[in-house]
Amino acid sequence: GQNIDQPTEMTATEGAIVQINCTYQTSGFNGLFWYQQHAGEAPTFLSYNVLDGLEEKGRFSSFLSRSKGYSYLLLKELQMKDSASYLCAVRWERNDMRFGAGTRLTVKP
Amino acid sequence: DVKVTQSSRYLVKRTGEKVFLECVQDMDHENMFWYRQDPGLGLRLIYFSYDVKMKEKGDIPEGYSVSREKKERFSLILESASTNQTSMYLCASSLYPRDHDNEQFFGPGTRLTVL
C-alpha cells in the first residue's frame, strides 16, 4: 500500500507557529510535495522535498526524513489567510502521485 | 503560467448516463492525472497518463475509463453514471522527468452531481 497519514484538523493562533506532520510508506518513494487548498479552490503547490533535510521558502518550511518516512510542513507567523487544507503528497517510482486526506488548519485571531 | 482547464465547473447528470469530463493543459506536459475529492477521503487517483495513448490505473478506476488521444487533452469517462460517483473531479498535469520538482498543476475542478 501507499498509506499517507496526516492529522485531520489543527487550530492555531494568528502570529504563532504550527507544524503539520505527514507519514508515508517508504517503498518506491520518489519525492514529497506539500499543497495548500483553500475551500472551493484547486490545490496549489507549496514545497518539494526529495533529499533529507529542511527546505525553507519564506514563512513556510518543509522537512523530510526518508528513512523514517516522515515529513512536516512548518508555518511561521501565521496569518488568517493561512486557514486552508494542507495536503501531503508522495510521488512514487511509476511517476504517479498519491495524496493524504489533508489537514484542515484554522487560524484564530 | 501553466493553465489547466476543465470543461465544466458544475455538472448534473442522471443515473445511467454516459458522462465525459474534459481536461486541457497548455504547457506541453507529459503527465496528466484525474482525481476525485470527497470529504474525509482527500484526493484519490482514478487514472493517470504519462504519454499519448498511454494510461495507468490509479486506486479507484472502477466505473471510469480515460482517453488520451492528444498530448494536451485527457478525458475522463463515466460509462454509466451512478450516485456514488457524485464528487469533485480534479484534473492535473506535470512534466514527466521523475527526478525534478515537477509539481502538479491543477484545474479548477468539476463538481458532478448524479441524480
Side-chain angles (χ1 to χ4, degrees):
Chain A
Q2 295 161 322
N3 291 343
I4 300 169
D5 294 312
Q6 52 182 128
T8 304
E9 293 193 33
M10 298 183 73
T11 303
T13 305
E14 193 175 15
I17 299 172
V18 71
Q19 177 175 313
I20 303 174
N21 296 326
C22 173
T23 58
Y24 61 90
Q25 293 188 277
T26 58
S27 177
F29 172 83
N30 191 29
L32 188 140
F33 298 77
W34 284 96
Y35 285 80
Q36 180 189 60
Q37 186 178 26
H38 285 100
E41 298 181 12
T44 55
F45 169 75
L46 286 178
S47 70
Y48 169 74
N49 295 74
V50 69
L51 300 175
D52 289 350
L54 189 68
E55 294 284 339
E56 296 188 76
K57 199 186 272 189
R59 293 189 299 116
F60 293 2
S61 304
S62 57
F63 171 83
L64 177 68
S65 169
R66 288 174 296 171
S67 62
K68 294 182 180 177
Y70 168 69
S71 173
Y72 66 73
L73 179 69
L74 194 70
L75 291 74
K76 302 176 188 174
E77 301 168 17
L78 280 172
Q79 301 175 10
M80 299 299 290
K81 67 178 181 180
D82 297 331
S83 290
S85 287
Y86 291 86
L87 313 179
C88 173
V90 177
R91 183 174 60 200
W92 308 100
E93 286 178 335
R94 280 197 319 167
N95 213 25
D96 54 332
M97 194 113 98
R98 298 294 191 283
F99 285 78
T103 299
R104 183 160 54 191
L105 174 67
T106 302
V107 180
K108 296 187 173 179
Chain B
D1 280 352
V2 174
K3 194 170 181 184
V4 181
T5 57
Q6 295 183 227
S7 49
S8 307
R9 289 300 303 270
Y10 299 93
L11 208 53
V12 180
K13 295 291 182 181
R14 296 207 175 273
T15 300
E17 279 193 79
K18 191 168 185 175
V19 182
F20 291 87
L21 303 182
E22 304 284 343
C23 176
V24 177
Q25 50 91 7
D26 66 359
M27 284 299 290
D28 205 33
H29 284 173
E30 292 85 359
N31 293 334
M32 295 189 76
F33 305 80
W34 273 107
Y35 297 90
R36 61 177 284 178
Q37 186 172 32
D38 301 287
L41 296 176
L43 282 157
R44 290 182 291 165
L45 182 64
I46 305 171
Y47 268 97
F48 69 104
S49 168
Y50 54 86
D51 200 355
V52 175
K53 296 193 186 294
M54 304 300 289
K55 60 183 179 183
E56 295 277 352
K57 291 180 180 178
D59 294 326
I60 51 164
E62 297 77 19
Y64 303 94
S65 63
V66 290
S67 172
R68 184 108 181 258
E69 295 297 319
K70 293 184 178 181
K71 191 175 185 180
E72 67 270 20
R73 187 179 298 268
F74 192 35
S75 303
L76 181 69
I77 303 149
L78 287 67
E79 296 291 342
S80 177
S82 63
T83 54
N84 63 12
Q85 291 178 310
T86 291
S87 186
M88 171 67 84
Y89 289 87
L90 286 159
C91 174
S93 73
S94 70
L95 285 170
Y96 179 77
R98 300 177 193 176
D99 56 354
H100 292 80
D101 56 345
N102 296 325
E103 77 266 25
Q104 293 187 344
F105 294 87
F106 284 85
T110 296
R111 184 164 292 283
L112 173 67
T113 302
V114 183
L115 302 175

